[in-house]
Amino acid sequence: MEAITDKTFWTVRDFSRQTGLNEHGLRKMLFGRSRNGLAKSGAIVRFGRRVLIRPDRFFTWMEEQTKKLEM
């Protein structure tokens, strides 16, 4: 398993395999990234047609979403 650093970028498929998140659900989150705040978090980078994920920023965004739901 690859160590997560602040400069690590993963493809959607690799990210879902490493984290155990459902790939289909992850793609749905990415599709709505402009509405759900994921785009503003800096967790998603487009490189041509490829979508890359920064795990550290993604998990920070995910924690923020959880806090919003708990309020």
Side-chain angles (χ1 to χ4, degrees):
M1 188 165 129
E2 206 175 310
I4 297 175
T5 65
D6 60 344
K7 301 293 182 188
T8 301
F9 293 95
W10 286 355
T11 63
V12 175
R13 180 168 286 149
D14 289 340
F15 186 72
S16 84
R17 286 179 181 164
Q18 292 294 326
T19 60
L21 294 172
N22 181 301
E23 186 176 346
H24 177 70
L26 186 57
R27 289 187 187 279
K28 282 182 77 171
M29 280 188 265
L30 295 173
F31 183 75
R33 65 185 173 267
S34 61
R35 291 184 307 261
N36 62 21
L38 193 53
K40 289 181 184 178
S41 71
I44 307 303
V45 176
R46 295 237 2 170
F47 188 71
R49 291 184 57 184
R50 189 168 290 239
V51 175
L52 302 173
I53 301 171
R54 286 188 62 175
D56 56 334
R57 292 186 181 183
F58 182 86
F59 290 124
T60 301
W61 171 81
M62 198 174 209
E63 288 173 2
E64 290 172 2
Q65 299 305 305
T66 303
K67 289 177 186 174
K68 287 180 185 177
L69 290 174
E70 292 174 351
M71 294 180 141

